[in-house]
Amino acid sequence: GLVDNVRTNSPVFKKTLEKLYDLPIVGDVRGDGYFFAIELVKDQKTTQQLTRGESEKLLRGFLNNALLDAGLYCRADDRGASVVQLAPPLTAGPKEFDEIEAILRKVLTEAWKKLNALILHTVRSVSGTTVSKNPLPLGRYRRGKTLML
């Protein structure tokens, strides 16, 4: 039945989601059964969290609608760390997991670009100077204000 389907396919779901680790915005994939969360970060190596403002603009200003428009019903939340919460139907299997991963890959790639632009804009606004049009890795910024060398 449904419980056996979840028990059998949960490791497959996790492994499919872990393919997203090649995206710099993905800091962690965690969960069990058919309830998983993908943590979003500014720097994958240090797992630097998004600021409250970055999270607000990225999650509510982009991710929630973009994921829904792409056909994925899930929840972007930041009551703790910034995460995308996934809970597919208990009847889902590998085919649906691949579809979920493809949608997440496309939308999270765009989210990374938007986050880079947001941080670059914040640095420009705070410093009053022009920053290269090629954004530096996000880990070089702290709280969107200080360039760390």
Side-chain angles (χ1 to χ4, degrees):
L2 291 178
V3 174
D4 289 333
N5 186 58
V6 172
R7 190 176 293 124
T8 300
N9 286 308
S10 177
V12 177
F13 188 32
K14 183 174 185 177
K15 187 174 181 178
T16 302
L17 293 176
E18 287 174 340
K19 293 178 187 177
L20 297 169
Y21 275 127
D22 67 334
L23 300 177
I25 197 168
V26 175
D28 192 22
V29 174
R30 57 183 174 262
D32 196 20
Y34 272 23
F35 188 72
F36 278 86
I38 298 171
E39 183 177 357
L40 307 178
V41 295
K42 289 196 283 189
D43 186 318
Q44 198 176 57
K45 290 179 184 172
T46 65
T47 63
Q48 182 181 7
Q49 301 291 310
L50 278 62
T51 65
R52 182 176 297 276
E54 292 162 350
S55 184
E56 177 74 26
K57 289 180 181 175
L58 193 65
L59 272 61
R60 287 170 194 77
F62 173 69
L63 273 175
N64 278 325
N65 289 334
L67 289 165
L68 188 59
D69 291 346
L72 184 58
Y73 186 74
C74 60
R75 177 180 173 176
D77 186 57
D78 63 352
R79 286 180 280 177
S82 299
V83 297
V84 175
Q85 298 172 339
L86 303 162
L90 301 180
T91 57
K95 179 183 171 200
E96 290 81 14
F97 303 154
D98 288 341
E99 188 176 348
I100 290 168
E101 187 269 342
I103 291 170
L104 285 166
R105 178 170 299 282
K106 180 180 176 189
V107 174
L108 292 178
T109 297
E110 185 63 27
W112 177 250
K113 292 175 188 174
K114 289 187 178 298
L115 182 60
N116 266 300
L118 175 65
I119 290 173
L120 190 59
H121 174 74
T122 301
V123 169
R124 281 186 182 146
S125 298
V126 170
S127 68
T129 61
T130 302
V131 179
S132 167
K133 290 184 180 182
N134 298 322
L136 295 169
L138 292 174
R140 297 199 182 188
Y141 295 103
R142 188 168 130 186
R143 294 189 196 125
K145 297 178 183 176
T146 306
L147 181 61
M148 293 174 36
L149 302 174

